[in-house]
Amino acid sequence: MAVLEITGLTKIFGSGRLEVRALDKVSLAIQAGELAALMGPSGSGKTTLLLCISLILEPTAGSVVFDGETIYQDGWTGLDVRRRRREKIGFVFQAANLIPFLTARENVLFPLNLVGLDKKAAERRVRELLDYMEIAERSHYLPALLSGGEQQRVAIARALANRPKLILADEPTASLDTARGQKVMEMLKKIARENQTAVITVTHDARMIEGFDQIYHLEDGRLKNQV
């Protein structure tokens, strides 16, 4: 069963002469443990698609089935979108977006506190994640004292905190040099394979997606081809 399946997804902004069809009947499916790349020029609809997949932006038409549940079918189906987003989707952005006055450990702990996880279990989970991301020795460092690559690894650990079914990474290597960027992408591959997490990465850099299972190309809101 697919972790995510979208069918005929359409998003229209404005109306009449001002109508912009940002997404035009886009369909794709991502299985557990799969890595998918989403590529395309600026203005092609990548960000809009990511926002719809993440259940942040409401589509105009189509369907979104996530983890076996129909979340959207030409309208929200009434399920608790915020809870599913909070508990089942992890986000990694171009900038790490770490809370500057919290340590690496505290940044990863933050989402666990939001869902009310037992303190001991939360601390254990944080240690596991920082060790898994090979950043445990920096656990008490503030973000300003971490390199860009280290910050992204903390951000990925934070995204993994609630054991999400899906990770959405929006240009996660854009602010990194090639070596650090490749390290981050290797971490995402490791996560997908070992945790059976579906990963969708938006990127402009074809060098960063070697070994990905699916590569989607968007142009003018339409899915042009798939490799």
Side-chain angles (χ1 to χ4, degrees):
M1 183 176 67
V3 171
L4 173 75
E5 186 172 6
I6 62 175
T7 305
L9 206 67
T10 299
K11 179 60 182 178
I12 298 172
F13 294 100
S15 60
R17 293 182 180 178
L18 299 178
E19 179 180 297
V20 175
R21 191 171 290 262
L23 296 176
D24 191 3
K25 299 179 180 178
V26 174
S27 299
L28 58 82
I30 309 294
Q31 307 293 324
E34 277 194 336
L35 291 138
L38 187 59
M39 305 187 75
S42 296
S44 62
K46 300 188 305 298
T47 298
T48 300
L49 179 55
L50 210 66
L51 288 172
C52 290
I53 289 172
S54 65
L55 313 179
I56 292 173
L57 180 65
E58 182 175 1
T60 303
S63 69
V64 178
V65 179
F66 179 58
D67 196 26
E69 298 180 311
T70 301
I71 305 294
Y72 181 89
Q73 181 67 62
D74 295 328
W76 298 121
T77 60
L79 297 176
D80 190 336
V81 171
R82 290 183 179 180
R83 182 173 68 82
R84 283 159 178 78
R85 184 169 61 237
R86 182 175 64 245
E87 295 179 356
K88 295 187 176 186
I89 302 177
F91 297 90
V92 182
F93 303 99
Q94 178 175 338
N97 291 331
L98 300 178
I99 301 172
F101 52 84
L102 298 182
T103 64
R105 169 191 153 275
E106 290 166 338
N107 266 280
V108 180
L109 184 62
F110 184 73
L112 296 173
N113 287 336
L114 287 179
V115 298
L117 188 65
D118 172 80
K119 184 176 180 180
K120 288 184 178 180
E123 290 286 359
R124 183 168 58 252
R125 178 66 175 157
V126 170
R127 289 194 299 270
E128 290 173 353
L129 286 168
L130 292 175
D131 185 60
Y132 185 74
M133 296 304 299
E134 301 174 8
I135 197 74
E137 72 280 3
R138 297 285 195 271
S139 63
H140 296 292
Y141 282 46
L142 292 171
L145 299 177
L146 300 173
S147 71
E150 289 171 338
Q151 288 182 32
Q152 278 296 51
R153 279 188 273 164
V154 174
I156 294 171
R158 181 180 60 188
L160 285 170
N162 288 324
R163 295 181 171 86
K165 299 284 186 177
L166 173 68
I167 288 182
L168 301 175
D170 190 3
E171 298 280 4
T173 64
S175 61
L176 305 176
D177 60 35
T178 300
R180 289 188 175 92
Q182 289 175 338
K183 179 68 172 176
V184 166
M185 295 308 288
E186 285 299 323
M187 287 293 182
L188 289 174
K189 291 177 190 177
K190 178 182 178 182
I191 290 162
R193 304 308 188 205
E194 295 183 0
N195 297 281
Q196 286 298 289
T197 303
V199 176
I200 300 176
T201 300
V202 171
T203 183
H204 285 93
D205 192 346
R207 298 172 302 172
M208 294 295 172
I209 55 175
E210 182 179 351
F212 272 47
D213 302 299
Q214 301 192 68
I215 302 174
Y216 294 98
H217 294 266
L218 268 178
E219 187 175 331
D220 298 326
R222 296 181 179 178
L223 206 60
K224 305 299 288 187
N225 57 6
Q226 177 186 344
V227 178

